[in-house]
Amino acid sequence: MKIYISAFFSLISFVLLAQNNNRSPNIILIMADDLGFECINSYGGTSYNTPNLTNLAKSGMQFENCHSQPICTPSRVKLMTGKSNKKNYKIFGVLDPKEKTFSQILRKKGYATMIAGKWQLGKVDSLPEHFGFDEHLLWQLSDTGRDSIGRDKRYVNPVLKQNGELYEKNEGKYSTDIIVDYINDFMTRKKNEPFLVYYPMILTHCPFDPTPNSKDWNPKDMGSMTYKGNAKYFGDMVSYMDYSIGRIVKKLDKLGLRENTIILFTGDNGTDEPVVSMMDNIPVIGGKGQTSDYGTHVPLIVNWKGVVRPNLKSKSLVDFSDFFPTLCDLANIPINSSMDLDGISFYPELIGKDGPKRKWIHSWYNRNGGLNPLVSSQEWVRNENYKMYVGNRFYNVKNDPYEKKNISISEMSDQEKRIRKEFIKVLNSYTYLRN
């Protein structure tokens, strides 16, 4: 009898293990705010300390050519919808409620979903749930993120919305700590089912203020009265960002979820001014808001223990529209033409298989959107080395990242002329599709 009972429980254990192995992977997508690639040690940055991200890069894959939009909302809209901003970007601070997001698709697949961090996609409390998130803890959801006298309330003693309810306890806490606690609690509660954690970080956006690890941290501070703060604290903020990501990784380890969880880390645009970061002896001026390389070149580190081989570096082009189809691939969700996506999944490369790869990235940028064109639109196409704008400006961005030297046709090599012709075809293929 004991033999049969033992065999029965062994069979049950085998079945449960097989089911777990066939379960869709947990997904953690972390996006730092205003953080260019030059800030990360594994990319050659030497100004700040990012040991946890270095460990994730060494034990996973680092993409050398990931590009966002120049500022936050355009990047967030492109990432969440998988489409060119030319098709669906309405106005700053808004994601069109008619759009479909990767979170909606994953929730429909059975994922438990949550978003925590910075919102800035429409000032209606119901929007996170509408866009596919079961739970949320957000700064600047349906308010300005400031108090009645104008103090910025995103860091110390923050004003947040937790599942639609105001969180304003003024207990001397730092918003990043509160949010990471919330994420870790969510993962603990959802550890037996596939989950999506989307963490658009509040760090490292200004105001540049002390963190809890800064020497002059003041838990009684009620928020910054200036928009920028003091850039001397930027290094502390980068370090605290890295430390906080490490807390999430440690929680995954403690829960035994690392082998079934993919972690993706990126930034929403280039580093803000007046920050100047060093890559060895080369100074890099923050390019946020600019369409040059330092405005859009962001880190992308992907870690999936036991699946993504360690210490890999990819030179493949990645655009923010690529995250949507990649997450669908991860969850085994088929993509159909009705989704009208512009992205190309980089999932095959993560698992060492052949798949379609980008030959170029197309971008359309207008901070205020097509419905409020106070600033003229800029549109361009690029590959690893070259970039061309509507209006015929053509640059070798690998050698000229600040785009100081427009290469005229008479100066172009035969190869550059061929690239220019291909870029013109790409630019002509993207029409303005807004209704």
Side-chain angles (χ1 to χ4, degrees), residues 37-50 277-282:
F37 77 107
E38 77 277 2
C39 297
I40 308 302
N41 298 154
S42 60
Y43 282 87
T46 51
S47 289
Y48 321 111
N49 295 315
T50 56
S277 306
M278 300 299 295
M279 300 184 79
D280 290 327
N281 61 343
I282 300 173

Side-chain angles (χ1 to χ4, degrees), residues 312-332:
L312 294 176
K313 290 191 176 182
S314 171
K315 294 186 177 181
S316 298
L317 290 168
V318 177
D319 176 60
F320 261 35
S321 63
D322 298 337
F323 284 84
F324 190 122
T326 301
L327 299 188
C328 287
D329 261 0
L330 284 164
N332 197 28

Side-chain angles (χ1 to χ4, degrees), residues 195-229:
F195 59 74
L196 164 71
V197 170
Y198 178 34
Y199 181 16
M201 301 186 82
I202 300 173
L203 287 168
T204 55
H205 195 290
C206 66
F208 305 121
D209 283 341
T211 74
N213 285 349
S214 301
K215 291 180 180 178
D216 51 352
W217 160 253
N218 178 12
K220 295 181 180 180
D221 189 349
M222 296 306 295
S224 176
M225 286 298 296
T226 68
Y227 177 69
K228 285 288 185 178

Side-chain angles (χ1 to χ4, degrees), residues 224-239:
S224 176
M225 286 298 296
T226 68
Y227 177 69
K228 285 288 185 178
N230 190 329
K232 74 176 185 179
Y233 293 111
F234 182 73
D236 287 359
M237 295 167 75
V238 173
S239 295

Side-chain angles (χ1 to χ4, degrees), residues 376-387:
S376 60
S377 302
Q378 296 193 68
E379 187 173 2
W380 65 92
V381 61
R382 65 165 296 154
N383 60 21
E384 296 93 330
N385 300 316
Y386 292 97
K387 182 175 181 181

Side-chain angles (χ1 to χ4, degrees), residues 28-30 114-117 137 176-189 195 197-201 244 248 251 255:
I28 299 178
L29 174 55
I30 303 172
M114 71 96 73
I115 180 172
L137 180 60
T176 301
D177 294 338
I178 297 168
I179 288 166
V180 171
D181 286 345
Y182 191 74
I183 289 171
N184 286 348
D185 175 70
F186 175 83
M187 295 192 302
T188 301
R189 290 185 283 112
F195 59 74
V197 170
Y198 178 34
Y199 181 16
M201 301 186 82
S244 301
I248 295 172
K251 188 65 174 182
L255 294 171

